[in-house]
Amino acid sequence: MKDFITNMKGALLKLWKYTKAIFFKYRYLWRRIGIAIFTLFLSTFLIFLLIRLVPGNVVDDYAIKLVEQRRITFDEARILAVQILGYDPDASPFTQFWSYLKSLMQGNLGQSMSNPLLSVNDVIKKNLPWTLFVSTLALSFSYLIGTKFGSISAWAKKGFRKKAIDGYTIVGSSVPDFILGLLLLFLLSFKLKLFPGQGAYDASYSTPGLNLKFLIDILYHAALPVLSYMFIQTANWTLMMKGSSISILGSDYIVAANARGIPENIILKKYLRKNAILPLITSLAISFATLFGGSPLMESVFNYPGIGQQFSIFIVQKEYFMIIGILFFTSAIIIFVNLIADSIYSLIDPRIRRNQG
Amino acid sequence: MMKNLISHARNVLNKIGIQILKFLKLMYKNKKSAIGFSVILFFIFIAVFGPYFFNYDGLTSGVLRFQPPSWQHLLGTDYLGRDVLQMLIDGAQGILLIAFFTGLITVAIGVIIGISSALIGGLYDKFFQMLSNLLLTVPSFPILMILATIITIRDPFTFSIVLSVWSWPALSRAVRAQILSLKESDFIQICQVMDMKKSHIIFKELLPNIAAYILINFIMIMRGAIIGSVGIMMLGVAALEPSNWGAMIYDIMNQGAFYVPNAYAYVLAPIFTIIFFQYGIIMLSNGLDETFNPRLQA
Amino acid sequence: MYKKLLLMLLTILVSISFVGCQTEVNIGYTGVYDENGSNTDKVLRTVGSWTKTGFANHFHGGGDAGPLIIFGIEGLVQYVRTTDEFYYLLAESIVHNDDGTSLVTIREDAKWFNGDPVVAIDILSYYILNTTDLTRYVYNMEVLDTNNNGVIDDDKELLITWKSWREPTDYAKTMLIALDTKNGSVQYKEFKEYIDYLIDLVDSIDTVVTEDNDYGETRFGKVLGDKAQLLYDKYNEFRAHRPDHYIGNGAYMLESYSENQMVLVKNPYYYNYDEVKFERLEFQQYSSTNQIYADLASGNLDYVDGLFTPEIMESLLSSNENLVSYKYYDQGTVGMYYDLEKPIWDSDLVREAFQYIFDRDEITQAGNAYAITSWKSMMVMSNVEARQYLSAEAYNQITNYSYNQEKAAELLIEAGWSKTDGKWYNEDGDLVELNIGFQDIFTKPAQAVQSQLENFGITVSLKNGGDWTTWFGNAKLEDSPYDCVVAFTELNTYGTHPGGSMKHFFDTLQAHVLHLDIDDNGTPGTEDDEWSIEVDLLDGTGSVRIADLYRNIYTYNDADLQKYTSAIVVGFSQYNYGIQFYENIAGSIFDLSTVGGLPLVDRFTVDRNITYIPEPLDSAFVDVAKTNIYFTQAGPYIRGEFYPRS
């Protein structure tokens, strides 16, 4: 019995220690999370105010339909429309925002006003995977290639490789990605007929699910958007990596390694790349946000069923809650990715933590 | 008296001439910025003098629909029989103005907020830090789309305001950081010790130190503005100005130009014009970067 | 150096792609056009549009199921507006009795997708949930217990009693029933709980509708009054109900769908199963017309509803030797009309002047090169219908304007406007600037309008209004962002009866955009808010309010109908509330190698770009118009007139 109590005590003490450690050692992290959540809600409210400025509203549109259907006056129809849609355009933005927050607490990111079947959760479930699929593919490839290119470009003094890479980065950073997408679509899909011109997969060829045929089909359909993103993103990563590498090149340990006669490609791989890549981790989040924000354009070029294309449709339809829901979710992802990137970075590099704690 | 005036005017002109020469020298110091600057000069030239060469009336013509390139129509005609080259030239002015105004407005906001929050600090600083944090967490293009449906975009200036609203935070943050580190540097400390005027410190000491940085940012913001405006036009959210490059692309996508055998020039012309212009901007900013920060030269 | 290399690479790519283009001359169809062909799978591949985010499993549940609604849900009787014929679908017969009642008998073998029979109470359920044009004329509706078993949920006979004071003609009665094309969309068995509640609710009400008191009526001769809220709540519950399969009864049922593709398969329970020849229908949703052209050219589409720019059409027909293009009147006219709330349109002179500004031939060329230019003003019904329903004398009375900018300038100056530095200023000396909102399908004519107005000296800002719901939503706003719109000035999507066009004009669309209710705050067309436009009767016997004529339009006999229609059309055109640009022509494109039974064989063997456009009274009109899937609501497919060439 006594043993048990001491054991318990020990266990509790340990638990307390860990909790304390989690709360205090990483308190900079908790503070950040707190700030992040606060920022998220504030930005949602900002968007909410913004959207209310869009002329016209769903309630009036719906009321017109009801007038037609039920032969009642517009005023009656409007009251009814408010009832059916559960949204009052005349209420104060704070009341509206509060009711939105309440539904948010129940896990509902937003409900379509004209279509009772549709919620932001559905759209995210259905369309987000496609956007994620394309942007993660593009991002990871361009990250891998770009960092390699960047370090080579910084390391090499002359030569074919450096010239080729430098020339490419200029072209790559001057073309907007969706314009390149359009060009590829025109040349490779319409003129040479090498790639499909629209959609995420061909339902008459493959059925969704875990099978090789479907996997090949979606990769085939995603090829052009991924290529267009990649071409531009790789150039960006090359530039960033080059900058980061140059700042490291002058440091003592590289000079020392050089002096010790360590082979060039080992210095390049083990010394330069490993250290220069660290600060780039935080940029991952920013790149992700850029791809995400630009997705309406790329997806409209390729008629790709991602969340960006759906977002443009909702803007035109004045689906307030859908717009807010999607933006809320996107911001949340961006903040989350940012947070993770920062934390990883600060865990790897304790100097950062000390500075910010 | 008269002589004085003349000599004074000559002096002023001389000074301006020297400044322009200085500027040109700066631009042509580096091969990259020389190329970039020439490209942009070329576009400015076209935007200013183009309309005098062609009398573009925008009238549609059924007879001239989808003409291949010829001597009358160097880049062919579009789906409504308008001359593609003339449209591109007519659209250049709008695009350049949008880019220029956006750069100007964004830099103004960004620099003012950046410097002031670095110098004033306290609650003021906290507020703007918070605000820019806020704006940075929401992707800007979707917001642009919403803004475009709210504000009637009719002229380049309104368009630039819309484009600037969400794009200043990154710059203001960077400026703030630079000013903060400058504040700690010796020569500013000395200035403060010497009890110099605040305005003197800001305009004579701080600004010149970040001027190069701001110039490069200005150019990059112009680049972003062009992408943004073309994108907005391409989605058809703003008021349609047929000769805007983005609107031309919108029409190419929606009126089946991809499919017409004769329409290669029509499809490719606006795409390559945009790419060429962007290329000029990137070259210019890269070149200036190399001029101002020679240590980046590996 | 290496960027040059890249540019060179691009140039090479471009030049490679030039090899692919050929400029052949389009000729006629060379193959033998009979039952045998390459379509062994018996599939029809075509274009469709539905809500990308998905739709509910029943017609009223939200989201638009697009093709599934056309091919999967039937009504009692189908009216084909182009042929002016009734086809009985779910109804076996409709008998109009002399005592002001009509007996609808439902087909013995009509079945829902799950095999349940379609019964009379299903139809009653539709009407207890929905208010339509028909319910305005109906006093009561009941299911007859024909088999005398005490319950009515297995009987096939529905008795409709018409209002004695507003009884339509026999033809109009069938027409009104047919106008509710989806009155077979509610299966009582599935939605029992809501419908039983509503039937009880209606039964519990004592207030009976009378001639003076039929406004605000809800269901079958009863005025709901303060119980209306209960009905609306129940209606919402009904909308939110989620059946486990799609509720329908048509020739095809849903196999699968995604954002961009939908597959329908033949319904094994369909009463006309043997007549339906296509086994599968595959629909593709496109966002870019470029892609439609590409798929047509490569033989991936069998039918497309559309008419393309002549250059694109020629290129298509020459790259795929099996394609044929049909063209026909659209029963719609494209033009420009005004938001009358904007002060600029107050002046009769300004409105008249605008009739003379435009070179309408050039706008036609821009908008639809195959269309026919019209020089008239807005007039409630499309020209092709006006030629049909008006006396020739009345039709000739409608003014034809001309392209005469001097005349326009004269009129504007008379109205107090002035022109300085090539720009027009209004009577108050303000620069004239117009916001033109156009529906996205009219991008082309809108741009022509813009360029002509700007050359005339009026600054224009063109706004893409998006698809029609969005555009309409903005256009009908009280403080609309548009001063005028480029859209259909007239359109009939309902039936070949003057009432169809008028319904579209006064109830559905144009009147809202015109803001005809300039004096009141309500919506035009509702009875408490009588819009007061008057027109003169052409025989000189005085003037009438359009609202009064329109309200009873289905009750007039032929002579009166022509008389009143003429008065409305001629009278309205004199107001110059809008400008017509062209009588729209629509088209269909088919792949001859896969689809059989298509009309005008002797023409497409000569030239596959058929430019012959029959007038509605020609016999060929019916044949050509039925190629449009929307005009006939799938008719030729469910009756086996079109079949796969296998």
Side-chain angles (χ1 to χ4, degrees), chain A residues 149-160:
Chain A
F149 277 8
S151 57
I152 292 173
S153 164
W155 177 254
K157 295 278 177 274
K158 276 191 204 92
F160 174 79

Side-chain angles (χ1 to χ4, degrees), chain A residues 35 38-39 42-43 46-47 50-51 53-55 153-154 156-157 162 170-176 178-179 182-183 185-187 190-191 239 242-243 246 289 292-294 296-297 300-301 311-312 315 323 327 330-331 334-335, chain B residues 32 130-131 133-143 145-147 149-150 166 223 227 230-232 234-235 237 249 252-253 257-261 263-264 267-268 271-272 274-275 278-280 282-283 286 295-298:
Chain A
I35 291 176
F38 181 66
T39 319
L42 216 58
S43 67
L46 207 69
I47 299 162
L50 199 66
I51 280 174
L53 295 175
V54 178
S153 164
K157 295 278 177 274
K162 183 182 163 62
I170 293 257
V171 178
S173 46
S174 50
V175 190
F178 59 95
I179 295 284
L182 200 67
L183 190 66
L185 182 73
F186 179 60
L187 295 178
F190 276 86
K191 292 301 165 185
L239 274 178
K242 189 181 172 187
I246 286 174
F292 230 87
L297 284 167
S300 89
V301 169
F311 184 79
S312 349
I315 287 201
I323 298 170
L327 280 181
T330 323
S331 311
I334 290 170
I335 290 176
Chain B
K32 277 185 186 169
M130 185 80 221
L131 190 64
N133 246 334
L134 219 68
L135 300 190
L136 282 174
T137 50
V138 186
S140 62
F141 191 74
I143 294 293
M145 288 167 67
I146 297 176
L147 284 174
T149 59
I150 297 172
W166 223 264
R223 166 179 182 259
I227 297 180
V230 167
I232 288 290
M234 211 180 92
L235 290 177
V237 197
I249 288 178
I252 287 167
M253 281 171 67
F258 275 15
Y259 198 73
V260 184
Y264 276 90
V267 172
L268 295 177
I271 292 181
F272 279 107
I274 292 171
I275 293 178
Q278 295 276 320
Y279 173 74
I282 288 286
M283 285 298 264
N286 277 9
R295 76 193 159 80
L296 278 185
Q297 282 275 49

Side-chain angles (χ1 to χ4, degrees), chain B:
Chain B
M1 182 66 192
M2 197 63 195
K3 247 183 187 171
N4 257 345
L5 239 164
I6 289 174
S7 71
H8 188 72
R10 195 178 284 159
N11 255 340
V12 170
L13 276 179
N14 259 340
K15 262 187 189 161
I16 292 174
I18 287 167
Q19 287 299 321
I20 289 176
L21 266 180
K22 250 185 164 174
F23 183 72
L24 285 181
K25 239 186 201 165
L26 181 72
M27 291 296 167
Y28 286 93
K29 203 169 171 183
N30 176 291
K31 209 171 75 189
K32 277 185 186 169
S33 62
I35 296 175
F37 189 64
S38 312
V39 169
I40 288 169
L41 263 189
F42 169 72
F43 275 100
I44 293 175
F45 181 79
I46 277 179
V48 175
F49 297 106
Y52 293 102
F53 290 116
F54 305 101
N55 189 15
Y56 176 70
D57 55 11
L59 281 181
T60 61
S61 159
V63 195
L64 293 176
R65 222 168 18 221
F66 286 129
Q67 292 288 308
S70 64
W71 284 113
Q72 282 85 35
H73 307 286
L74 283 175
L75 292 174
T77 58
D78 80 340
Y79 73 108
L80 289 177
R82 295 170 292 201
D83 186 286
V84 172
L85 182 62
Q86 290 187 20
M87 287 177 85
L88 283 173
I89 291 171
D90 191 63
Q93 200 173 9
I95 289 274
L96 282 175
L97 284 178
I98 289 172
F100 182 72
F101 284 140
T102 312
L104 219 59
I105 298 171
T106 311
V107 163
I109 302 176
V111 169
I112 291 173
I113 291 179
I115 293 185
S116 59
S117 39
L119 294 182
I120 297 172
L123 216 62
Y124 179 88
D125 182 30
K126 279 247 167 67
F127 173 77
F128 279 108
Q129 281 283 89
M130 185 80 221
L131 190 64
S132 54
N133 246 334
L134 219 68
L135 300 190
L136 282 174
T137 50
V138 186
S140 62
F141 191 74
I143 294 293
L144 256 183
M145 288 167 67
I146 297 176
L147 284 174
T149 59
I150 297 172
I151 301 166
T152 308
I153 296 176
R154 261 199 202 159
D155 51 306
F157 192 68
T158 340
F159 213 145
S160 331
I161 292 177
V162 169
L163 287 165
S164 309
V165 170
W166 223 264
S167 54
W168 58 266
L171 177 66
S172 89
R173 259 190 173 190
V175 168
R176 176 181 170 275
Q178 293 218 0
I179 298 287
L180 278 181
S181 73
L182 276 177
K183 246 170 90 177
E184 302 305 315
S185 65
D186 298 340
F187 73 99
I188 298 290
Q189 299 280 3
I190 292 169
C191 286
Q192 273 168 342
V193 170
M194 282 165 69
D195 209 17
M196 282 182 176
K197 267 192 192 160
K198 262 239 163 90
S199 58
H200 176 90
I201 297 180
I202 293 174
F203 290 107
K204 296 274 160 163
E205 308 294 341
L206 288 178
L207 265 181
N209 264 297
I210 53 167
Y213 182 78
I214 290 172
L215 182 64
I216 290 164
N217 256 287
F218 176 78
I219 294 168
M220 293 311 275
I221 288 165
M222 278 177 44
R223 166 179 182 259
I226 288 165
I227 297 180
S229 69
V230 167
I232 288 290
M233 277 290 181
M234 211 180 92
L235 290 177
V237 197
L240 191 65
E241 198 47 65
S243 57
N244 177 294
W245 300 346
M248 285 177 80
I249 288 178
Y250 172 78
D251 284 338
I252 287 167
M253 281 171 67
N254 288 290
Q255 304 298 343
F258 275 15
Y259 198 73
V260 184
N262 284 341
Y264 276 90
Y266 170 37
V267 172
L268 295 177
I271 292 181
F272 279 107
T273 310
I274 292 171
I275 293 178
F276 186 48
F277 188 61
Q278 295 276 320
Y279 173 74
I281 288 185
I282 288 286
M283 285 298 264
L284 179 60
S285 88
N286 277 9
L288 287 181
D289 210 18
E290 284 173 10
T291 312
F292 292 126
N293 304 314
R295 76 193 159 80
L296 278 185
Q297 282 275 49

Side-chain angles (χ1 to χ4, degrees), chain C residues 595-615:
Chain C
V595 183
L598 293 168
L600 301 185
V601 179
D602 51 332
R603 289 197 187 257
F604 67 64
T605 44
V606 181
D607 184 352
R608 286 175 293 122
N609 194 5
I610 303 173
T611 46
Y612 166 62
I613 303 168
E615 281 285 325

